[in-house]
Amino acid sequence: MNKIISFLLIVIMLASCSEYQKAIKSEDLAFKNKIANEMYDKGKYAKALRIYEQIVPAYRGKPNAERLFYMFSMAYYNTKQYYLAGYQFESFASNYPRSEKREEAAFLSAECFYRLSPKYSLDQTDTDKALTKLQSFIDTYPNSEYLPKANEYVKELREKLEKKAFEIAKQYYTISDYRLEYNAAMTALDNFIADYPGTPFKEEALFLKFSTAYKLAINSVQNKKEDRLILAKTAYNSFTKFKSDSQFKDKADQMLATIDKELQQFSK
């Protein structure tokens, strides 16, 4: 019995493959479309896509091709070809404004750019594009069922941009000891704090700003030292005001003690 079932399965598979090969070589658009849809329904998206790519040019601009273009876009999406899927979904939403799939297509187009966003250390051009697309979707469909997911993506992408900006500012801090470029590090950290006031990296950024101001003051020539020590103390106050129980508090207090000791020489 098992041998018979296995044989029948093999026959069905061979027939399916034979039909697929016929569709690839066929000039019959309806037949090709039928087989492509069958491949899609079976989850064989790469095979479906190969046929869709053959027939799409012939259906372009035709109002009765809505389902074809939707499945064509989804085939790209399901094979993780997000650049092409994003473009096709955007085109679908534009060409079929009355489609019940338009909202979904608009969201998936934006989501494709989200999925193309690289890790924070790389170029963030696609991240910026994704944020633009997602914000456009949120503005267009404020009551969409996809809104929570869109907002989640926006939050994640913004945090990624913040992390990249923070790491760049932090790099200025890291190299400042070697190049004695404390002013450049201070400027970079000030700009980051101003640009991202609600960032989760603010605590560390404020500490690094204080640390930079401290190093600048301690390493200053005598005629600039007092002013810079006072500036460092101001940075300390800003840091502790933001988070009095910071993980960096003990280290900051040690530096503050040194600042106060250095300031004593100017009070005589």
PDB file of all heavy atoms in Angstrom, residues 77-102:
ATOM      1  N   TYR A  77       8.217  39.551  -2.528  1.00  0.00           N
ATOM      2  CA  TYR A  77       8.308  39.713  -1.067  1.00  0.00           C
ATOM      3  C   TYR A  77       8.660  38.381  -0.401  1.00  0.00           C
ATOM      4  O   TYR A  77       9.524  38.320   0.490  1.00  0.00           O
ATOM      5  CB  TYR A  77       6.966  40.237  -0.553  1.00  0.00           C
ATOM      6  CG  TYR A  77       6.907  40.444   0.936  1.00  0.00           C
ATOM      7  CD1 TYR A  77       7.375  41.614   1.523  1.00  0.00           C
ATOM      8  CD2 TYR A  77       6.351  39.461   1.773  1.00  0.00           C
ATOM      9  CE1 TYR A  77       7.304  41.800   2.899  1.00  0.00           C
ATOM     10  CE2 TYR A  77       6.285  39.653   3.144  1.00  0.00           C
ATOM     11  CZ  TYR A  77       6.762  40.822   3.701  1.00  0.00           C
ATOM     12  OH  TYR A  77       6.698  41.015   5.056  1.00  0.00           O
ATOM     13  N   ASN A  78       7.991  37.325  -0.817  1.00  0.00           N
ATOM     14  CA  ASN A  78       8.199  36.013  -0.193  1.00  0.00           C
ATOM     15  C   ASN A  78       9.534  35.373  -0.559  1.00  0.00           C
ATOM     16  O   ASN A  78       9.964  34.426   0.109  1.00  0.00           O
ATOM     17  CB  ASN A  78       7.053  35.073  -0.546  1.00  0.00           C
ATOM     18  CG  ASN A  78       5.778  35.423   0.191  1.00  0.00           C
ATOM     19  OD1 ASN A  78       5.813  35.773   1.363  1.00  0.00           O
ATOM     20  ND2 ASN A  78       4.639  35.348  -0.495  1.00  0.00           N
ATOM     21  N   THR A  79      10.179  35.882  -1.600  1.00  0.00           N
ATOM     22  CA  THR A  79      11.531  35.416  -1.927  1.00  0.00           C
ATOM     23  C   THR A  79      12.577  36.408  -1.413  1.00  0.00           C
ATOM     24  O   THR A  79      13.747  36.326  -1.769  1.00  0.00           O
ATOM     25  CB  THR A  79      11.703  35.211  -3.452  1.00  0.00           C
ATOM     26  OG1 THR A  79      11.321  36.407  -4.150  1.00  0.00           O
ATOM     27  CG2 THR A  79      10.883  34.042  -3.950  1.00  0.00           C
ATOM     28  N   LYS A  80      12.129  37.356  -0.583  1.00  0.00           N
ATOM     29  CA  LYS A  80      13.000  38.321   0.104  1.00  0.00           C
ATOM     30  C   LYS A  80      13.772  39.223  -0.853  1.00  0.00           C
ATOM     31  O   LYS A  80      14.869  39.692  -0.534  1.00  0.00           O
ATOM     32  CB  LYS A  80      13.951  37.596   1.052  1.00  0.00           C
ATOM     33  CG  LYS A  80      13.227  36.809   2.140  1.00  0.00           C
ATOM     34  CD  LYS A  80      14.179  36.158   3.115  1.00  0.00           C
ATOM     35  CE  LYS A  80      13.402  35.413   4.190  1.00  0.00           C
ATOM     36  NZ  LYS A  80      14.314  34.778   5.193  1.00  0.00           N
ATOM     37  N   GLN A  81      13.174  39.492  -2.009  1.00  0.00           N
ATOM     38  CA  GLN A  81      13.763  40.451  -2.943  1.00  0.00           C
ATOM     39  C   GLN A  81      13.101  41.805  -2.666  1.00  0.00           C
ATOM     40  O   GLN A  81      12.229  42.259  -3.413  1.00  0.00           O
ATOM     41  CB  GLN A  81      13.538  39.984  -4.377  1.00  0.00           C
ATOM     42  CG  GLN A  81      14.210  38.645  -4.673  1.00  0.00           C
ATOM     43  CD  GLN A  81      14.069  38.236  -6.126  1.00  0.00           C
ATOM     44  OE1 GLN A  81      14.569  38.907  -7.035  1.00  0.00           O
ATOM     45  NE2 GLN A  81      13.384  37.131  -6.362  1.00  0.00           N
ATOM     46  N   TYR A  82      13.532  42.436  -1.580  1.00  0.00           N
ATOM     47  CA  TYR A  82      12.782  43.556  -1.025  1.00  0.00           C
ATOM     48  C   TYR A  82      12.847  44.831  -1.855  1.00  0.00           C
ATOM     49  O   TYR A  82      11.894  45.617  -1.849  1.00  0.00           O
ATOM     50  CB  TYR A  82      13.225  43.814   0.412  1.00  0.00           C
ATOM     51  CG  TYR A  82      12.884  42.669   1.339  1.00  0.00           C
ATOM     52  CD1 TYR A  82      13.873  42.007   2.058  1.00  0.00           C
ATOM     53  CD2 TYR A  82      11.569  42.227   1.471  1.00  0.00           C
ATOM     54  CE1 TYR A  82      13.561  40.950   2.901  1.00  0.00           C
ATOM     55  CE2 TYR A  82      11.244  41.161   2.303  1.00  0.00           C
ATOM     56  CZ  TYR A  82      12.251  40.528   3.016  1.00  0.00           C
ATOM     57  OH  TYR A  82      11.936  39.472   3.844  1.00  0.00           O
ATOM     58  N   TYR A  83      13.933  45.062  -2.562  1.00  0.00           N
ATOM     59  CA  TYR A  83      13.989  46.244  -3.435  1.00  0.00           C
ATOM     60  C   TYR A  83      12.900  46.147  -4.507  1.00  0.00           C
ATOM     61  O   TYR A  83      12.132  47.087  -4.744  1.00  0.00           O
ATOM     62  CB  TYR A  83      15.357  46.360  -4.107  1.00  0.00           C
ATOM     63  CG  TYR A  83      16.377  47.121  -3.313  1.00  0.00           C
ATOM     64  CD1 TYR A  83      17.555  46.517  -2.884  1.00  0.00           C
ATOM     65  CD2 TYR A  83      16.184  48.480  -2.993  1.00  0.00           C
ATOM     66  CE1 TYR A  83      18.496  47.209  -2.147  1.00  0.00           C
ATOM     67  CE2 TYR A  83      17.125  49.181  -2.258  1.00  0.00           C
ATOM     68  CZ  TYR A  83      18.274  48.543  -1.840  1.00  0.00           C
ATOM     69  OH  TYR A  83      19.209  49.240  -1.107  1.00  0.00           O
ATOM     70  N   LEU A  84      12.846  44.987  -5.159  1.00  0.00           N
ATOM     71  CA  LEU A  84      11.872  44.782  -6.231  1.00  0.00           C
ATOM     72  C   LEU A  84      10.451  44.702  -5.678  1.00  0.00           C
ATOM     73  O   LEU A  84       9.514  45.254  -6.265  1.00  0.00           O
ATOM     74  CB  LEU A  84      12.214  43.511  -7.006  1.00  0.00           C
ATOM     75  CG  LEU A  84      13.526  43.574  -7.803  1.00  0.00           C
ATOM     76  CD1 LEU A  84      13.895  42.194  -8.339  1.00  0.00           C
ATOM     77  CD2 LEU A  84      13.410  44.568  -8.953  1.00  0.00           C
ATOM     78  N   ALA A  85      10.295  44.063  -4.533  1.00  0.00           N
ATOM     79  CA  ALA A  85       8.966  43.960  -3.928  1.00  0.00           C
ATOM     80  C   ALA A  85       8.450  45.339  -3.535  1.00  0.00           C
ATOM     81  O   ALA A  85       7.287  45.672  -3.784  1.00  0.00           O
ATOM     82  CB  ALA A  85       9.017  43.054  -2.698  1.00  0.00           C
ATOM     83  N   GLY A  86       9.324  46.149  -2.941  1.00  0.00           N
ATOM     84  CA  GLY A  86       8.920  47.498  -2.538  1.00  0.00           C
ATOM     85  C   GLY A  86       8.455  48.327  -3.715  1.00  0.00           C
ATOM     86  O   GLY A  86       7.419  49.020  -3.639  1.00  0.00           O
ATOM     87  N   TYR A  87       9.186  48.225  -4.806  1.00  0.00           N
ATOM     88  CA  TYR A  87       8.813  48.965  -6.015  1.00  0.00           C
ATOM     89  C   TYR A  87       7.474  48.472  -6.562  1.00  0.00           C
ATOM     90  O   TYR A  87       6.597  49.264  -6.931  1.00  0.00           O
ATOM     91  CB  TYR A  87       9.898  48.815  -7.078  1.00  0.00           C
ATOM     92  CG  TYR A  87       9.482  49.323  -8.439  1.00  0.00           C
ATOM     93  CD1 TYR A  87       9.459  50.683  -8.729  1.00  0.00           C
ATOM     94  CD2 TYR A  87       9.080  48.428  -9.439  1.00  0.00           C
ATOM     95  CE1 TYR A  87       9.053  51.152  -9.967  1.00  0.00           C
ATOM     96  CE2 TYR A  87       8.674  48.877 -10.682  1.00  0.00           C
ATOM     97  CZ  TYR A  87       8.667  50.242 -10.943  1.00  0.00           C
ATOM     98  OH  TYR A  87       8.249  50.694 -12.168  1.00  0.00           O
ATOM     99  N   GLN A  88       7.292  47.153  -6.616  1.00  0.00           N
ATOM    100  CA  GLN A  88       6.062  46.585  -7.172  1.00  0.00           C
ATOM    101  C   GLN A  88       4.839  46.903  -6.306  1.00  0.00           C
ATOM    102  O   GLN A  88       3.767  47.208  -6.825  1.00  0.00           O
ATOM    103  CB  GLN A  88       6.208  45.071  -7.347  1.00  0.00           C
ATOM    104  CG  GLN A  88       7.207  44.651  -8.418  1.00  0.00           C
ATOM    105  CD  GLN A  88       6.832  45.169  -9.798  1.00  0.00           C
ATOM    106  OE1 GLN A  88       5.671  45.433 -10.099  1.00  0.00           O
ATOM    107  NE2 GLN A  88       7.836  45.325 -10.655  1.00  0.00           N
ATOM    108  N   PHE A  89       4.998  46.832  -4.988  1.00  0.00           N
ATOM    109  CA  PHE A  89       3.884  47.180  -4.104  1.00  0.00           C
ATOM    110  C   PHE A  89       3.504  48.651  -4.257  1.00  0.00           C
ATOM    111  O   PHE A  89       2.317  48.999  -4.271  1.00  0.00           O
ATOM    112  CB  PHE A  89       4.243  46.890  -2.646  1.00  0.00           C
ATOM    113  CG  PHE A  89       4.105  45.457  -2.248  1.00  0.00           C
ATOM    114  CD1 PHE A  89       5.163  44.788  -1.652  1.00  0.00           C
ATOM    115  CD2 PHE A  89       2.915  44.776  -2.443  1.00  0.00           C
ATOM    116  CE1 PHE A  89       5.039  43.461  -1.262  1.00  0.00           C
ATOM    117  CE2 PHE A  89       2.778  43.441  -2.069  1.00  0.00           C
ATOM    118  CZ  PHE A  89       3.850  42.792  -1.477  1.00  0.00           C
ATOM    119  N   GLU A  90       4.503  49.499  -4.364  1.00  0.00           N
ATOM    120  CA  GLU A  90       4.239  50.929  -4.544  1.00  0.00           C
ATOM    121  C   GLU A  90       3.511  51.168  -5.862  1.00  0.00           C
ATOM    122  O   GLU A  90       2.565  51.970  -5.938  1.00  0.00           O
ATOM    123  CB  GLU A  90       5.557  51.705  -4.502  1.00  0.00           C
ATOM    124  CG  GLU A  90       5.393  53.213  -4.479  1.00  0.00           C
ATOM    125  CD  GLU A  90       6.712  53.918  -4.223  1.00  0.00           C
ATOM    126  OE1 GLU A  90       7.769  53.424  -4.702  1.00  0.00           O
ATOM    127  OE2 GLU A  90       6.703  54.955  -3.540  1.00  0.00           O
ATOM    128  N   SER A  91       3.958  50.476  -6.903  1.00  0.00           N
ATOM    129  CA  SER A  91       3.324  50.589  -8.210  1.00  0.00           C
ATOM    130  C   SER A  91       1.885  50.070  -8.162  1.00  0.00           C
ATOM    131  O   SER A  91       0.971  50.671  -8.740  1.00  0.00           O
ATOM    132  CB  SER A  91       4.136  49.795  -9.245  1.00  0.00           C
ATOM    133  OG  SER A  91       3.514  49.845 -10.512  1.00  0.00           O
ATOM    134  N   PHE A  92       1.677  48.964  -7.439  1.00  0.00           N
ATOM    135  CA  PHE A  92       0.333  48.395  -7.307  1.00  0.00           C
ATOM    136  C   PHE A  92      -0.605  49.389  -6.627  1.00  0.00           C
ATOM    137  O   PHE A  92      -1.726  49.625  -7.091  1.00  0.00           O
ATOM    138  CB  PHE A  92       0.390  47.092  -6.504  1.00  0.00           C
ATOM    139  CG  PHE A  92      -0.950  46.468  -6.265  1.00  0.00           C
ATOM    140  CD1 PHE A  92      -1.473  45.556  -7.163  1.00  0.00           C
ATOM    141  CD2 PHE A  92      -1.702  46.799  -5.145  1.00  0.00           C
ATOM    142  CE1 PHE A  92      -2.729  44.981  -6.950  1.00  0.00           C
ATOM    143  CE2 PHE A  92      -2.955  46.236  -4.926  1.00  0.00           C
ATOM    144  CZ  PHE A  92      -3.465  45.322  -5.831  1.00  0.00           C
ATOM    145  N   ALA A  93      -0.156  49.979  -5.518  1.00  0.00           N
ATOM    146  CA  ALA A  93      -0.990  50.927  -4.780  1.00  0.00           C
ATOM    147  C   ALA A  93      -1.345  52.136  -5.629  1.00  0.00           C
ATOM    148  O   ALA A  93      -2.449  52.690  -5.519  1.00  0.00           O
ATOM    149  CB  ALA A  93      -0.267  51.359  -3.503  1.00  0.00           C
ATOM    150  N   SER A  94      -0.426  52.529  -6.499  1.00  0.00           N
ATOM    151  CA  SER A  94      -0.662  53.674  -7.371  1.00  0.00           C
ATOM    152  C   SER A  94      -1.601  53.336  -8.522  1.00  0.00           C
ATOM    153  O   SER A  94      -2.484  54.121  -8.877  1.00  0.00           O
ATOM    154  CB  SER A  94       0.678  54.182  -7.924  1.00  0.00           C
ATOM    155  OG  SER A  94       0.485  55.219  -8.854  1.00  0.00           O
ATOM    156  N   ASN A  95      -1.424  52.157  -9.101  1.00  0.00           N
ATOM    157  CA  ASN A  95      -2.203  51.766 -10.279  1.00  0.00           C
ATOM    158  C   ASN A  95      -3.607  51.238  -9.951  1.00  0.00           C
ATOM    159  O   ASN A  95      -4.486  51.246 -10.813  1.00  0.00           O
ATOM    160  CB  ASN A  95      -1.442  50.692 -11.075  1.00  0.00           C
ATOM    161  CG  ASN A  95      -0.188  51.246 -11.719  1.00  0.00           C
ATOM    162  OD1 ASN A  95      -0.123  52.429 -12.055  1.00  0.00           O
ATOM    163  ND2 ASN A  95       0.822  50.401 -11.895  1.00  0.00           N
ATOM    164  N   TYR A  96      -3.805  50.791  -8.704  1.00  0.00           N
ATOM    165  CA  TYR A  96      -5.107  50.253  -8.311  1.00  0.00           C
ATOM    166  C   TYR A  96      -5.599  50.960  -7.047  1.00  0.00           C
ATOM    167  O   TYR A  96      -5.676  50.352  -5.963  1.00  0.00           O
ATOM    168  CB  TYR A  96      -5.010  48.738  -8.099  1.00  0.00           C
ATOM    169  CG  TYR A  96      -4.603  47.984  -9.356  1.00  0.00           C
ATOM    170  CD1 TYR A  96      -3.283  47.600  -9.553  1.00  0.00           C
ATOM    171  CD2 TYR A  96      -5.538  47.702 -10.339  1.00  0.00           C
ATOM    172  CE1 TYR A  96      -2.899  46.935 -10.708  1.00  0.00           C
ATOM    173  CE2 TYR A  96      -5.171  47.033 -11.500  1.00  0.00           C
ATOM    174  CZ  TYR A  96      -3.848  46.654 -11.682  1.00  0.00           C
ATOM    175  OH  TYR A  96      -3.463  45.999 -12.834  1.00  0.00           O
ATOM    176  N   PRO A  97      -5.928  52.234  -7.165  1.00  0.00           N
ATOM    177  CA  PRO A  97      -6.314  53.036  -5.983  1.00  0.00           C
ATOM    178  C   PRO A  97      -7.592  52.560  -5.309  1.00  0.00           C
ATOM    179  O   PRO A  97      -7.809  52.869  -4.138  1.00  0.00           O
ATOM    180  CB  PRO A  97      -6.487  54.446  -6.560  1.00  0.00           C
ATOM    181  CG  PRO A  97      -6.751  54.248  -8.021  1.00  0.00           C
ATOM    182  CD  PRO A  97      -5.945  53.037  -8.406  1.00  0.00           C
ATOM    183  N   ARG A  98      -8.437  51.810  -6.023  1.00  0.00           N
ATOM    184  CA  ARG A  98      -9.684  51.337  -5.430  1.00  0.00           C
ATOM    185  C   ARG A  98      -9.588  49.888  -4.954  1.00  0.00           C
ATOM    186  O   ARG A  98     -10.578  49.331  -4.474  1.00  0.00           O
ATOM    187  CB  ARG A  98     -10.823  51.473  -6.438  1.00  0.00           C
ATOM    188  CG  ARG A  98     -11.114  52.924  -6.839  1.00  0.00           C
ATOM    189  CD  ARG A  98     -12.270  52.997  -7.807  1.00  0.00           C
ATOM    190  NE  ARG A  98     -12.558  54.386  -8.206  1.00  0.00           N
ATOM    191  CZ  ARG A  98     -13.509  54.745  -9.043  1.00  0.00           C
ATOM    192  NH1 ARG A  98     -14.280  53.810  -9.602  1.00  0.00           N
ATOM    193  NH2 ARG A  98     -13.705  56.020  -9.347  1.00  0.00           N
ATOM    194  N   SER A  99      -8.439  49.307  -5.067  1.00  0.00           N
ATOM    195  CA  SER A  99      -8.284  47.905  -4.686  1.00  0.00           C
ATOM    196  C   SER A  99      -8.400  47.730  -3.172  1.00  0.00           C
ATOM    197  O   SER A  99      -7.926  48.558  -2.394  1.00  0.00           O
ATOM    198  CB  SER A  99      -6.913  47.381  -5.139  1.00  0.00           C
ATOM    199  OG  SER A  99      -6.662  46.100  -4.601  1.00  0.00           O
ATOM    200  N   GLU A 100      -8.994  46.633  -2.758  1.00  0.00           N
ATOM    201  CA  GLU A 100      -9.077  46.330  -1.330  1.00  0.00           C
ATOM    202  C   GLU A 100      -7.697  45.965  -0.766  1.00  0.00           C
ATOM    203  O   GLU A 100      -7.512  45.931   0.453  1.00  0.00           O
ATOM    204  CB  GLU A 100     -10.047  45.190  -1.081  1.00  0.00           C
ATOM    205  CG  GLU A 100      -9.629  43.864  -1.712  1.00  0.00           C
ATOM    206  CD  GLU A 100     -10.589  42.732  -1.415  1.00  0.00           C
ATOM    207  OE1 GLU A 100     -11.735  43.016  -1.002  1.00  0.00           O
ATOM    208  OE2 GLU A 100     -10.195  41.566  -1.592  1.00  0.00           O
ATOM    209  N   LYS A 101      -6.732  45.711  -1.669  1.00  0.00           N
ATOM    210  CA  LYS A 101      -5.377  45.374  -1.254  1.00  0.00           C
ATOM    211  C   LYS A 101      -4.455  46.606  -1.233  1.00  0.00           C
ATOM    212  O   LYS A 101      -3.277  46.484  -0.915  1.00  0.00           O
ATOM    213  CB  LYS A 101      -4.779  44.341  -2.215  1.00  0.00           C
ATOM    214  CG  LYS A 101      -5.494  42.999  -2.241  1.00  0.00           C
ATOM    215  CD  LYS A 101      -5.258  42.230  -0.953  1.00  0.00           C
ATOM    216  CE  LYS A 101      -5.794  40.822  -1.043  1.00  0.00           C
ATOM    217  NZ  LYS A 101      -5.575  40.057   0.206  1.00  0.00           N
ATOM    218  N   ARG A 102      -5.008  47.766  -1.572  1.00  0.00           N
ATOM    219  CA  ARG A 102      -4.163  48.958  -1.704  1.00  0.00           C
ATOM    220  C   ARG A 102      -3.472  49.314  -0.383  1.00  0.00           C
ATOM    221  O   ARG A 102      -2.272  49.593  -0.352  1.00  0.00           O
ATOM    222  CB  ARG A 102      -4.992  50.149  -2.186  1.00  0.00           C
ATOM    223  CG  ARG A 102      -4.146  51.395  -2.444  1.00  0.00           C
ATOM    224  CD  ARG A 102      -5.000  52.499  -3.066  1.00  0.00           C
ATOM    225  NE  ARG A 102      -4.171  53.616  -3.479  1.00  0.00           N
ATOM    226  CZ  ARG A 102      -3.969  54.718  -2.754  1.00  0.00           C
ATOM    227  NH1 ARG A 102      -4.537  54.824  -1.561  1.00  0.00           N
ATOM    228  NH2 ARG A 102      -3.198  55.694  -3.203  1.00  0.00           N
TER     229      ARG A 102
END
